[in-house]
Amino acid sequence: MPFKVSNNYLFISSAKQIPSARLTQAQLVSVCSVNYPNTLLNGRITAFQRLTWSPLNHWLQTIARFQYPPSMAFKNARNTHIYDSSFTEVHGDFHSYSSGGSLSINQGETGLQTLFQATSPGAAYDSQERYPPPKCHPGTRQAILDALESWITNESERGEGSVMWLHGPAGAGKSAVAQTISESCAKRGELAASFFFSRGKAGRDSINFLFTTIAFHMAIASRDLRREIRQAVENDPSIIHKATSTQIQALIVEPLLSRSCRLDAAARPPYLIIIDGLDECRGNADQRQILTHVVDLVYKHHLPLYFLIVSRPEPHIRHAFDEPTMQTINLQVLSLLGVHRAIDDVLLFLHDGFTEIHRAEKHSDIMQFVPKPWPSKDIVELLATKSGGYFIYASTVLKFIDEEYYSPLDRLDEVLNASSTSTSTPFAELDKLYTQILSTCPHTDRLKRVLGYLLAPSDRLSNPPWAATIETVLNLRRGEVRLTLRGLHSLLGFTSTSVLDENSEIVGVDISIQSLHASLGDFLFDKERAGKFYIDLEECHADIVRGSWTIFSNWVTKNGESLYLSTRQHLLDNFCFHLSQVQEKRQLLDDFKRGNKVTWAPFVQASTRWPSLKWKISHILYNVLKALQSLVTPPEAFIRQLVDLSDFVYLTHLSPRSQKDVQFIQGMFTTFYFETRSLFSAPDRDCLEIAKLLQLDVWSSHQISPTSNPPSFAEFMSDPLRSGDLFSDSALRHARLAVCCIDMLGIKWDLDHVLTRERHKFTYARKYWAEHLSRAPYGDENMLHFLRNSDAETFFGQLSFINTFLEAELREDQEWNTARIRPDSPDWRQPFKRSVHRPSANYFRQFFPEYRHDDLEDFAVYQGKFRELDMANAKLVVNWLKAATAPPFNLISRWEAYCRDGLPGYGIVIKPMTYPMNRGEGSTGQAERKGTKLVALPLQVCSETRRLIWGTVS
């Protein structure tokens, strides 16, 4: 134990025993001193901050058994010696984020707390996840660093709205340069934000968290921006879930253009944003989209931002930088391609690295007998030459030689004795090194299967695979993955991880494995380069499909119940992708034939306890069926067998327990016809919202989601022989939903319900009531009753929109309107504009999220879009009425008049009313000027209901 308590003193015996390599002994003692009044601090303490990270948190919990609960940090302190230290005592909640210094998020700053949840903390240059980060070895890459520093600090050279693209091949040290620049700029207060992409790392391999993370870093870097960004999130907490362009506008553009930030612009340093590893972001389209957003920020919006983009020179990225839009900005390009001074840099890096190995304690048994310098100057120069100027080679050599429990002398000889006839590329020597390291494993075939699973592309969005998952899928004994990869620690990273069950309880410890070099996969999947270590990707994918299907079909014998939750997730998440990568599907036919209702029954029954995973089984069967049907001669008998299996899965997962369950399932299925993907996004919310729409006070617990069921579900529900009691005639299902939608629209909701509580089902009802009506039985008396007797506002979104929003909003703006209509006002002829943050704008977007109008502040735009929706619905109503056996011509003529003339054709007339010119005047006051047409005045609707509403005159 690295501490002890004696006579009311806490003693720290050895900093090396403390499980946190980043914290010094003195810093840990400073943390402990909060709970120990008599703590002797021997050493220089530079800062104090209460930390909650693991493993330090676990260690502090251990010593907490000895603590006394003081009311303050140093109450009744005696014999305490503290030198050059600062302490922070916190009462209540405390959240902290460090970026070039510690900074707290106060409990009341809910906006920043909400925003932080949508960021990727591990993507920052100084994150714990990246520790220790790669950075330039002292004295290396000086020319590149000087060029970047000059670009950053010399505003006249850089120009306004500038972007620097630093590119280079794999292993050239791009991330090290980006890290070094980030650290130096952060020290000078010039870094606004940083984001280091990493392939395969959740949160760091997609565009999803990029701009929210940048906005959060900017809020931390600037007090003014902190206030503006925090307020933006507090005004609309859902901004973290909106489209990237919307997030950029609300969290970056508008805060930077705000008045408070513009006033102090001259006093602030340049806003530098560093984005490293752009090529490691998933999807070429997203990579190009990021560059488009960057161009918009610096050119379209003229923001004081400067971007350093670091990536490989992939063709699609190079093409994006060659686009004409890039010529509108101050673009500069810096390349790490070529050796120039890189050989000298690698030479210095190797020299210092070998010096560290020679004096390392773990190698002292051997190296104490080896004279310095070791190795000789000629050998170091030879290795530097072989590197081709790429640090990945030198780094891999040093890691291979420095591996514990191996002799550095023997390891160096293995590197030097590697031979190959290929010297045509800069990576020829790296290929030799990879081959040499891989040759340390005597089980080549098993090694290729394991590496294939690790490095093959997949759809997995979770953490790197665990050893237990690989062993399960590849049918290996426990421990064989670790044994197989034992000599590959210079190529792969191994992280011990606690294994959690569905209840988030620890059930074991395993290791997650990931490649340390992006170029390793390039080597292994290239037949010419890898030789005997070549991995056939298609065979690799087929191997994973076979292993997964075997587990599904042998759940009991494979002890499936004992599988970790993470293993089940990997099996179900990635099966369909791996299957899609197998071109010759017939090779899997014999394996698939082992799947039927009998062999799958234990697996399907067990899956009923996995609410978030069970629906993936239907996707798997659907994709297997598609694959078999695509064969030249499809195996019809086996296809029927799989259809029966698919039906068995649906019936097992649905298993209705009451008539309300049946109605719910039928209603949910009916909604699959429409664009519910944009309205409902979470299975539990899907169930609740659809159940409310169907007027069911108790909804099913099955969590059916429109986004989680393949087309085979529609085939199943539409066939009475397959779905049994779940079947219902399509027209009757649509009739029920049409009635529910019209009922929903007939309720007079307040703003809070329309915008929040009832938002999803209200939006669905407004968009699709006529669609359901058009599919209901023609001439249905119940439908005709609603069409005859419902208020016009029920059917027309334009009318409902005006009546719901404009009255409240114009009341808020009464003072502005009063001033605007005075003849002496400078705004006399200005059209009325609405803020995009008003309730009307939010309401509009929930109906038309795809609309990309440049000026969403124009209220007339809102009415026009609703008019289009109403017109489409009216045409559906007319067609449905005409198809009846006895068409109701009075209704038909009324709806046809609307299709021809709009609201006036339906009997609704909008008239302008008078508006008081000055505060204090009566309602009869006139504001007229000859030849001038007033806009945005209160209007009255003359209809059967004679309701007062508000609107605009077009």
Side-chain angles (χ1 to χ4, degrees):
M1 185 176 294
F3 60 86
K4 66 178 180 177
V5 176
S6 176
N7 297 327
N8 231 14
Y9 278 80
L10 172 69
F11 295 89
I12 305 295
S13 60
S14 173
K16 292 184 178 179
Q17 300 179 45
I18 298 170
S20 180
R22 295 193 68 182
L23 299 175
T24 67
Q25 172 182 336
Q27 288 172 321
L28 283 171
V29 174
S30 69
V31 177
C32 299
S33 66
V34 175
N35 294 317
Y36 293 90
N38 297 324
T39 301
L40 185 63
L41 308 179
N42 300 316
R44 179 182 178 84
I45 304 173
T46 58
F48 165 73
Q49 179 184 10
R50 184 179 293 275
L51 302 173
T52 58
W53 304 327
S54 218
L56 174 60
N57 187 47
H58 174 73
W59 186 79
L60 290 179
Q61 289 174 358
T62 303
I63 67 172
R65 288 178 257 168
F66 301 97
Q67 74 179 34
Y68 324 108
S71 59
M72 60 185 293
F74 293 94
K75 184 176 181 180
N76 300 322
R78 300 184 304 275
N79 302 322
T80 301
H81 302 275
I82 306 172
Y83 304 98
D84 300 318
S85 305
S86 62
F87 291 83
T88 301
E89 181 175 10
V90 178
H91 297 278
D93 293 342
F94 178 76
H95 305 271
S96 107
Y97 174 82
S98 175
S99 179
S102 59
L103 191 150
S104 64
I105 300 177
N106 298 324
Q107 186 176 3
E109 294 184 298
T110 57
L112 289 186
Q113 294 177 15
T114 300
L115 180 59
F116 180 72
Q117 300 305 314
T119 66
S120 177
Y125 82 94
D126 56 352
S127 70
Q128 175 70 15
E129 181 179 319
R130 298 184 61 248
Y131 184 83
K135 53 184 177 181
C136 295
H137 189 71
T140 63
R141 291 300 193 198
Q142 204 57 53
I144 295 293
L145 295 175
D146 289 345
L148 290 173
E149 291 285 0
S150 175
W151 172 76
I152 293 168
T153 57
N154 192 334
E155 185 173 358
S156 60
E157 176 186 336
R158 181 183 63 246
E160 182 181 356
S162 182
V163 174
M164 170 70 79
W165 179 33
L166 174 65
H167 68 79
K174 301 180 296 297
S175 293
V177 172
Q179 177 70 26
T180 303
I181 290 295
S182 296
E183 292 182 2
S184 64
C185 290
K187 289 179 181 179
R188 300 193 302 266
E190 296 175 340
L191 182 66
S194 62
F195 195 101
F196 284 70
F197 281 105
S198 181
R199 186 179 291 108
K201 287 287 186 69
R204 294 176 55 197
D205 63 350
S206 73
I207 193 177
N208 297 340
F209 298 104
L210 172 60
F211 290 100
T212 52
T213 302
I214 289 175
F216 182 81
H217 288 183
M218 292 172 66
I220 298 300
S222 167
R223 225 174 255 284
D224 292 330
L225 284 175
R226 180 192 185 104
R227 180 177 59 254
E228 297 292 336
I229 294 173
R230 180 195 66 207
Q231 191 63 50
V233 180
E234 290 174 355
N235 290 342
D236 182 13
S238 68
I239 189 66
I240 64 175
H241 303 298
K242 292 187 176 180
T244 301
S245 57
T246 305
Q247 293 176 347
I248 293 173
Q249 181 68 27
L251 300 178
I252 299 177
V253 176
E254 292 176 5
L256 280 171
L257 293 179
S258 65
R259 183 172 182 271
S260 61
C261 292
R262 288 201 309 268
L263 288 176
D264 299 330
R268 288 198 309 271
Y271 272 108
L272 173 66
I273 297 176
I274 296 178
I275 300 176
D276 176 72
L278 176 63
D279 55 284
E280 296 196 40
C281 174
R282 279 188 286 113
N284 293 354
D286 281 352
Q287 295 172 23
R288 290 192 294 265
Q289 189 62 43
I290 290 171
L291 295 178
T292 299
H293 289 314
V294 168
V295 172
D296 287 344
L297 286 171
V298 301
Y299 177 72
K300 179 179 178 181
H301 301 292
H302 301 289
L303 300 179
L305 297 176
Y306 309 93
F307 286 85
L308 172 59
I309 310 292
V310 184
S311 76
R312 294 184 186 181
E314 300 293 354
H316 64 279
I317 296 179
R318 185 180 293 277
H319 182 267
F321 275 106
D322 290 338
E323 288 287 337
T325 54
M326 283 290 179
Q327 309 310 315
T328 62
I329 64 175
N330 293 317
L331 173 65
Q332 299 187 42
V333 180
L334 196 58
S335 176
L336 292 177
L337 191 63
V339 295
H340 47 282
R341 282 185 47 83
I343 293 292
D344 295 336
D345 291 342
V346 172
L347 184 64
L348 176 59
F349 176 68
L350 286 170
H351 178 273
D352 292 348
F354 281 123
T355 300
E356 289 294 324
I357 292 174
H358 191 281
R359 67 186 182 192
E361 184 275 336
K362 62 182 176 181
H363 300 308
S364 60
D365 293 339
I366 295 293
M367 302 308 294
Q368 63 178 320
F369 304 108
V370 177
K372 295 181 179 180
W374 175 88
S376 66
K377 181 180 178 181
D378 292 340
I379 292 178
V380 176
E381 290 178 350
L382 174 63
L383 293 174
T385 302
K386 287 184 176 182
S387 74
Y390 295 98
F391 280 83
I392 188 172
Y393 176 87
S395 176
T396 305
V397 165
L398 292 176
K399 287 181 180 178
F400 180 73
I401 295 174
D402 192 40
E403 193 164 358
E404 195 169 7
Y405 307 121
Y406 289 88
S407 167
L409 302 178
D410 294 338
R411 281 290 174 109
L412 177 60
D413 288 340
E414 291 179 44
V415 171
L416 295 175
N417 293 331
S419 62
S420 173
T421 58
S422 174
T423 58
S424 58
T425 70
F427 297 105
E429 295 302 328
L430 180 61
D431 294 348
K432 295 180 192 176
L433 181 60
Y434 281 151
T435 300
Q436 182 60 41
I437 296 174
L438 296 174
S439 297
T440 61
C441 176
H443 311 288
T444 304
D445 291 339
R446 190 170 68 201
L447 174 65
K448 290 165 60 177
R449 294 183 69 204
V450 172
L451 290 178
Y453 190 100
L454 283 171
L455 301 175
S458 73
D459 267 355
R460 57 177 175 253
L461 302 178
S462 54
N463 293 323
W466 293 352
T469 301
I470 302 173
E471 289 161 351
T472 300
V473 175
L474 300 184
N475 196 28
L476 301 176
R477 288 190 294 269
R478 292 303 304 270
E480 284 193 326
V481 166
R482 302 189 195 200
L483 177 64
T484 302
L485 304 177
R486 189 176 184 86
L488 274 63
H489 285 244
S490 56
L491 299 180
L492 304 173
F494 300 82
T495 305
S496 294
T497 310
S498 297
V499 181
L500 306 178
D501 63 7
E502 291 86 345
N503 300 318
S504 298
E505 296 181 358
I506 298 177
V507 294
V509 177
D510 201 356
I511 60 169
S512 61
I513 310 168
Q514 58 184 327
S515 172
L516 297 178
H517 302 290
S519 60
L520 179 58
D522 299 336
F523 167 76
L524 290 172
F525 299 137
D526 188 321
K527 192 171 185 177
E528 297 299 323
R529 294 178 59 189
K532 70 173 184 177
F533 294 107
Y534 166 67
I535 297 176
D536 187 324
L537 260 181
E538 181 170 352
E539 181 55 37
C540 176
H541 289 297
D543 198 15
I544 296 174
V545 170
R546 290 191 189 96
S548 302
W549 191 268
T550 300
I551 295 172
F552 302 153
S553 304
N554 300 273
W555 189 252
V556 176
T557 59
K558 290 293 183 181
N559 198 19
E561 292 296 330
S562 66
L563 294 182
Y564 293 147
L565 174 62
S566 61
T567 299
R568 294 200 298 267
Q569 289 175 329
H570 274 279
L571 287 172
L572 297 175
D573 286 346
N574 299 306
F575 182 94
C576 295
F577 176 80
H578 291 300
L579 176 63
S580 69
Q581 301 303 302
V582 181
Q583 300 301 317
E584 183 50 59
K585 302 293 195 301
R586 189 168 291 277
Q587 63 175 300
L588 302 171
L589 187 56
D590 290 339
D591 299 277
F592 287 154
K593 285 182 178 179
R594 292 197 292 269
N596 54 59
K597 289 194 291 186
V598 176
T599 59
W600 274 52
F603 171 57
V604 175
Q605 291 293 341
S607 69
T608 59
R609 302 189 296 273
W610 313 333
S612 61
L613 294 176
K614 63 182 180 181
W615 296 107
K616 298 180 184 294
I617 298 175
S618 301
H619 276 280
I620 289 174
L621 292 175
Y622 172 69
N623 280 272
V624 172
L625 280 168
K626 282 203 311 180
L628 296 179
Q629 291 167 350
S630 67
L631 297 177
V632 177
T633 55
E636 298 296 341
F638 179 56
I639 288 177
R640 287 194 296 271
Q641 176 181 314
L642 281 184
V643 170
D644 289 341
L645 174 57
S646 178
D647 294 348
F648 169 69
V649 171
Y650 284 129
L651 290 171
T652 303
H653 287 167
L654 295 172
S655 59
R657 296 183 292 272
S658 67
Q659 185 58 33
K660 287 186 177 180
D661 276 0
V662 173
Q663 292 177 358
F664 168 76
I665 294 169
Q666 292 171 349
M668 178 65 80
F669 163 60
T670 309
T671 64
F672 291 177
Y673 282 99
F674 307 108
E675 300 174 85
T676 51
R677 186 180 299 271
S678 63
L679 303 179
F680 309 109
S681 59
D684 55 346
R685 190 170 68 193
D686 294 348
C687 295
L688 177 60
E689 297 293 338
I690 294 298
K692 287 182 178 179
L693 181 64
L694 294 170
Q695 302 174 6
L696 298 174
D697 54 350
V698 178
W699 67 91
S700 172
S701 62
H702 297 298
Q703 290 191 334
I704 312 171
S705 169
T707 62
S708 65
N709 291 279
S712 61
F713 184 58
E715 299 171 4
F716 166 77
M717 289 293 294
S718 302
D719 189 336
L721 297 179
R722 296 174 60 185
S723 55
D725 293 338
L726 294 176
F727 175 78
S728 177
D729 181 72
S730 173
L732 296 180
R733 286 188 280 105
H734 284 286
R736 173 171 171 75
L737 263 172
V739 169
C740 292
C741 289
I742 294 174
D743 274 348
M744 171 70 61
L745 297 174
I747 301 174
K748 308 308 177 186
W749 300 102
D750 57 31
L751 288 180
D752 181 58
H753 281 78
V754 172
L755 289 178
T756 56
R757 302 179 189 177
E758 314 295 337
R759 169 180 178 176
H760 299 285
K761 62 178 180 291
F762 183 83
T763 304
Y764 182 90
R766 174 63 64 201
K767 294 186 74 171
Y768 299 116
W769 71 268
E771 292 278 3
H772 288 300
L773 174 74
S774 68
R775 290 168 169 80
Y778 297 127
D780 183 271
E781 287 298 328
N782 199 22
M783 297 291 99
L784 293 175
H785 172 78
F786 276 104
L787 291 176
R788 289 191 181 102
N789 298 286
S790 297
D791 187 274
E793 189 176 329
T794 299
F795 302 120
F796 300 117
Q798 178 188 2
L799 201 58
S800 172
F801 173 69
I802 295 173
N803 199 43
T804 303
F805 290 98
L806 196 55
E807 179 178 4
E809 295 194 9
L810 285 184
R811 190 178 298 121
E812 295 175 4
D813 294 319
Q814 182 176 0
E815 183 174 334
W816 184 90
N817 274 301
T818 302
R820 188 185 63 78
I821 64 175
R822 287 199 299 267
D824 59 342
S825 170
D827 296 318
W828 170 257
R829 296 178 180 273
Q830 295 301 314
F832 188 69
K833 296 289 184 179
R834 284 284 162 198
S835 168
V836 294
H837 296 302
R838 291 296 183 91
S840 57
N842 294 332
Y843 181 80
F844 176 82
R845 286 188 177 89
Q846 76 185 40
F847 283 95
F848 307 104
E850 76 286 351
Y851 195 62
R852 293 293 183 267
H853 194 274
D854 289 337
D855 187 9
L856 282 181
E857 298 179 2
D858 190 347
F859 201 82
V861 172
Y862 302 162
Q863 291 197 65
K865 292 299 291 184
F866 277 108
R867 192 181 302 117
E868 292 177 13
L869 175 62
D870 294 341
M871 195 66 68
N873 286 339
K875 292 178 181 178
L876 291 174
V877 173
V878 170
N879 293 335
W880 182 81
L881 290 171
K882 288 182 176 180
T885 305
F889 293 106
N890 59 331
L891 277 177
I892 293 175
S893 61
R894 191 176 186 186
W895 282 90
E896 284 183 331
Y898 174 81
C899 292
R900 183 181 61 252
D901 302 321
L903 287 176
Y906 197 81
I908 300 174
V909 180
I910 301 179
K911 294 181 178 180
M913 291 178 59
T914 60
Y915 196 91
M917 290 181 61
N918 298 295
R919 191 179 301 177
E921 285 193 34
S923 60
T924 59
Q926 299 293 315
E928 299 182 2
R929 184 176 182 181
K930 188 174 182 179
T932 301
K933 182 178 181 180
L934 302 181
V935 296
L937 298 183
L939 310 174
Q940 186 174 23
V941 170
C942 301
S943 66
E944 295 176 2
T945 59
R946 300 291 179 182
R947 294 185 59 204
L948 179 66
I949 68 170
W950 305 75
T952 60
V953 179
S954 58

